Amino acid sequence: MSSTNEKEAAPVHGVPLTEQVIEVVRRDPAASALPYLLPYVDVPWVEGGVPAPMAEDVLAKAVFPSGRPLSPSLRAWLSYDMSLLERHQWFTADGAFAPRPLDRLIADEMGAFWGTEFAWLAGRLSECFLLPGGSDSRRILAVTEPDEEGEYPVFALDLDDLPYLGLMYPGFDVYLADTAGLLDLGERQGYSELIHHGTYGGRMRRHARQCLGGAAEIQYPFDFEPVYAELVREGDGASG
């Protein structure tokens, strides 16, 4: 089989893609998950290099507080290790999921002032989790309506210039694979450019419709964004 055919046959979504990431991580669990982006920060894939999987009986029954199911890729990852997500405040002391509304997560990470600026979206993005990645920016998984793969979107938050929120990945599966260096996505010209990608664009556009009224990204001042009036009119301005 040619290398071209092998590349075409490579997994591109969901559990098969996540399992490929796990195989890479198993070779060196203590290696940094962000060696190129943040070489000066130790962000090991697995704390101490020894995987700590979620107990099978717990994982089998696990759902988010809203009742939404775990995505297939997240379930596959947790069956391998919890430590990466534990270090990013995904769980309570007793191991339950601990999502935060978007504005509260931003306030915790960036300061109360910035959280207030995103309160109008907190009703729609009410179950958010921090992911490793970014330096001045952040990566946030939001539990919303899942896409056709059963996956939830990953957003980029950037406050370096003007406050910005944009869809970056269509799911935890693609986020993991790109972080592990398995996807040849080229050099990005913007956070949300996967919305035009041949493989992932459809999933990105679905999340854009569900989360941001069809927009791939929004930037301050938000009340000048066409999506602002639509989402506030739908009653998503409450932080809940």
Side-chain angles (χ1 to χ4, degrees):
M1 183 181 290
S2 69
S3 59
T4 300
N5 289 335
E6 289 172 358
K7 184 175 182 180
E8 290 174 351
V12 294
H13 299 289
V15 172
L17 184 59
T18 305
E19 288 175 342
Q20 193 176 59
V21 175
I22 292 171
E23 286 306 308
V24 170
V25 174
R26 278 198 178 108
R27 297 171 197 159
D28 189 0
S32 174
L34 305 167
Y36 306 110
L37 181 61
L38 295 175
Y40 48 86
V41 178
D42 184 22
V43 186
W45 282 106
V46 174
E47 185 70 24
V50 180
M54 182 175 283
E56 289 185 15
D57 59 331
V58 175
L59 184 57
K61 298 181 292 185
V63 295
F64 291 114
S66 64
R68 293 191 187 278
L70 307 190
S71 72
S73 65
L74 177 60
R75 191 174 292 277
W77 180 260
L78 289 174
S79 72
Y80 170 66
D81 179 66
M82 292 178 63
S83 68
L84 180 69
L85 304 183
E86 282 180 324
R87 284 176 276 135
H88 289 80
Q89 297 82 52
W90 274 57
F91 305 102
T92 64
D94 61 0
F97 285 100
R100 290 171 281 178
L102 179 67
D103 58 341
R104 190 182 307 161
L105 188 154
I106 293 173
D108 291 345
E109 288 294 309
M110 304 295 203
F113 172 81
W114 296 117
T116 301
E117 294 297 324
F118 287 88
W120 63 283
L121 273 173
R124 178 167 292 246
L125 304 179
S126 60
E127 281 191 310
C128 295
F129 295 89
L130 185 67
L131 289 168
S135 49
D136 295 331
S137 61
R138 298 290 187 273
R139 309 289 177 260
I140 297 171
L141 183 141
V143 180
T144 62
E145 287 292 329
D147 63 21
E148 59 269 31
E149 298 291 333
E151 298 289 332
Y152 303 109
V154 174
F155 289 87
L157 169 74
D158 195 331
L159 306 180
D160 190 43
D161 188 5
L162 292 175
Y164 165 97
L165 184 74
L167 284 163
M168 189 170 184
Y169 297 103
F172 187 67
D173 54 341
V174 182
Y175 159 82
L176 278 180
D178 191 36
T179 302
L182 296 181
L183 302 180
D184 184 14
L185 298 178
E187 185 174 348
R188 292 198 172 196
Q189 302 304 311
Y191 287 116
S192 295
E193 68 177 31
L194 285 187
I195 202 162
H196 305 296
H197 192 269
T199 299
Y200 301 118
R203 290 175 59 190
M204 291 281 285
R205 290 188 289 273
R206 177 167 177 166
H207 288 308
R209 290 192 299 270
Q210 292 170 341
C211 299
L212 297 178
E217 53 192 21
I218 52 173
Q219 187 161 317
Y220 185 88
F222 300 122
D223 54 1
F224 284 89
E225 294 276 359
V227 70
Y228 179 85
E230 177 185 342
L231 297 186
V232 169
R233 185 168 57 249
E234 290 178 4
D236 288 316
S239 59

